[in-house]
Amino acid sequence: MPVLDPGTARQQRASAAFSLSFFSLVFSITAFSSSYWCEGTRKVAKPFCTEQNKGDHCIRFNSPDANNSNAVQYIWETGDDKFVDRKFHAGIWYSCEEIINGEGEKCRSFVSLAPAADRGVLWLSIVAELLYNILLLTGVVLMSVEMCCYHSVIDGLKINAFSAVVTILAGLLGMVAHMMYTTVFQMTVNLGPEDWRPHTWDYGWSFCLAWASFACCMAAAVTTINKYTKTILEFKHKRKTLERSLKIKYKFPDHAAPEKACNVYVNSFHNTTEDPAHPVKDLHHLATISVL
C-alpha cells in the first residue's frame, strides 16, 4: 500500500474538515429556518355540514329544514366519529396546522404558544442557535483561508488551531441549543394552549437534520485537531532526526550547536510556504550556520 506524502495527507485532512464544517453549516441553517422539528396530529371537533361544505370532515344531520332553528336535528356521529385528526408541524419560529375544510395551513408563532415560564429558555435556545451558526460560519471561513490563502506553514498552523477551537465551541453551543428547544417543546405539549396541544407527535426531519449538523461539526473539530497534532508531531520527529544526524555527521565543539541550527532552520519557515517537516538534504548548510 503506497504511503502518502505528509503534505498530501495534511491537505486531505484539511479538505475533509472543511467539507464536514460546510455540511454542518448548511444542515444547521436549513433546520433553523424550517418548521418541521416536530410533527403530529390534533383531535378537533368536526364542524356541522353545510350546503357548501359536505364530506367526511363535517357532522351530518337529518333535519328537513336546516335553516329552521326550531327543527329537531338528529346527529349520527358518536364517539370518535365526532372528531377529526388535524396534522401539524412546529419549529423554533412558528407552528402550522392544516385547515380541515380548505387548502393551506394556519400558522402561529411558537414563542406565543410556549408557557410564560419557559419563554426565557426558548429565547436562550434561539440565541444559542444563532451563535452556533455564526461560529460554524467563522470556522468554515478560517478553514478555507488556511487551505487557499495562508503564506507560511507556521501561520497555517495558527489558523488551524484557532479554527479547531471555534468549531468545538460551536458544537457545544449547538448541543445545548437543541436540548433546550426539546425541553421547551415538551413543556408546551403539556402546558400549552388547549387549542394547540397535540394528540400524537414525534420528531421531524428538521430535528434529525439539526443533530446531523452537530455530528458533522464535532467530526470536523476532531479532524482539525488531528491535523494540527499530527503536523506538530511530524515536525518534532523531523527535528529530532535532524539533530541526531548533525551530531553523528559533524563533530560540534558546542553540544547545543545542533539545537541552535534547528532553531535557525525552524525560524526560516515563518516567511515561506515550504513544508518544515520534509527531510533535510543540505546538512552541510545547517552545519555552516551552527559554526557561524
Side-chain angles (χ1 to χ4, degrees):
M1 185 175 179
V3 179
L4 289 177
D5 178 71
T8 305
R10 280 192 295 275
Q11 286 295 327
Q12 290 181 352
R13 287 192 291 268
S15 300
F18 174 79
S19 301
L20 289 169
S21 294
F22 181 77
F23 283 124
S24 177
L25 178 63
V26 172
F27 292 164
S28 177
I29 292 175
T30 304
F32 185 61
S33 59
S34 64
S35 61
Y36 286 86
W37 284 65
C38 299
E39 300 177 87
T41 57
R42 289 184 54 240
K43 271 192 173 183
V44 295
K46 294 180 181 179
F48 289 107
C49 293
T50 61
E51 293 182 359
Q52 295 81 12
N53 180 25
K54 294 181 179 180
D56 296 332
H57 297 308
C58 61
I59 298 177
R60 297 181 297 274
F61 50 88
N62 66 340
S63 172
D65 187 4
N67 295 323
N68 188 358
S69 59
N70 295 324
V72 178
Q73 299 175 356
Y74 298 97
I75 299 174
W76 298 104
E77 281 78 0
T78 59
D80 289 340
D81 292 336
K82 294 190 297 183
F83 298 93
V84 62
D85 290 333
R86 178 184 291 178
K87 295 181 180 179
F88 85 98
H89 55 89
I92 292 179
W93 296 107
Y94 47 88
S95 173
C96 298
E97 58 185 26
E98 65 178 354
I99 299 174
I100 296 178
N101 298 321
E103 296 181 355
E105 295 178 329
K106 176 185 176 182
C107 295
R108 289 184 285 179
S109 171
F110 185 76
V111 177
S112 64
L113 297 174
D118 297 316
R119 287 178 186 172
V121 180
L122 179 59
W123 280 113
L124 284 176
S125 172
I126 293 173
V127 171
E129 290 284 355
L130 288 172
L131 291 176
Y132 173 56
N133 289 323
I134 291 173
L135 288 176
L136 279 178
L137 179 61
T138 304
V140 169
V141 171
L142 288 173
M143 291 178 188
S144 61
V145 169
E146 179 199 355
M147 290 174 59
C148 305
C149 304
Y150 71 88
H151 300 291
S152 70
V153 176
I154 303 300
D155 291 339
L157 282 175
K158 293 177 182 177
I159 295 176
N160 182 257
F162 190 61
S163 61
V165 173
V166 168
T167 308
I168 292 173
L169 289 177
L172 294 176
L173 273 175
M175 178 183 65
V176 172
H178 301 344
M179 294 176 66
M180 284 194 297
Y181 174 78
T182 304
T183 303
V184 171
F185 183 83
Q186 291 174 351
M187 295 298 295
T188 307
V189 169
N190 297 324
L191 304 175
E194 291 286 347
D195 62 343
W196 178 86
R197 294 182 191 178
H199 180 67
T200 59
W201 65 276
D202 201 354
Y203 297 111
W205 61 265
S206 297
F207 183 83
C208 298
L209 205 61
W211 283 105
S213 170
F214 167 76
C216 289
C217 175
M218 297 311 295
V222 171
T223 305
T224 306
I225 294 174
N226 176 265
K227 175 180 178 292
Y228 178 83
T229 305
K230 280 196 171 185
T231 303
I232 295 297
L233 291 177
E234 288 171 2
F235 187 80
K236 288 182 177 180
H237 175 71
K238 295 297 180 182
R239 180 187 176 116
K240 290 181 180 179
T241 303
L242 174 61
E243 290 181 3
R244 194 179 303 112
S245 301
L246 288 174
K247 288 179 180 180
I248 293 175
K249 189 169 184 179
Y250 299 95
K251 304 298 182 180
F252 290 101
D254 183 6
H255 293 289
E259 183 178 354
K260 294 178 182 177
C262 292
N263 290 334
V264 174
Y265 168 68
V266 170
N267 294 331
S268 67
F269 283 98
H270 280 280
N271 297 318
T272 180
T273 58
E274 194 174 351
D275 188 358
H278 75 287
V280 180
K281 297 179 180 178
D282 193 2
L283 295 178
H284 178 70
H285 177 65
L286 290 175
T288 305
I289 294 176
S290 302
V291 172
L292 291 175

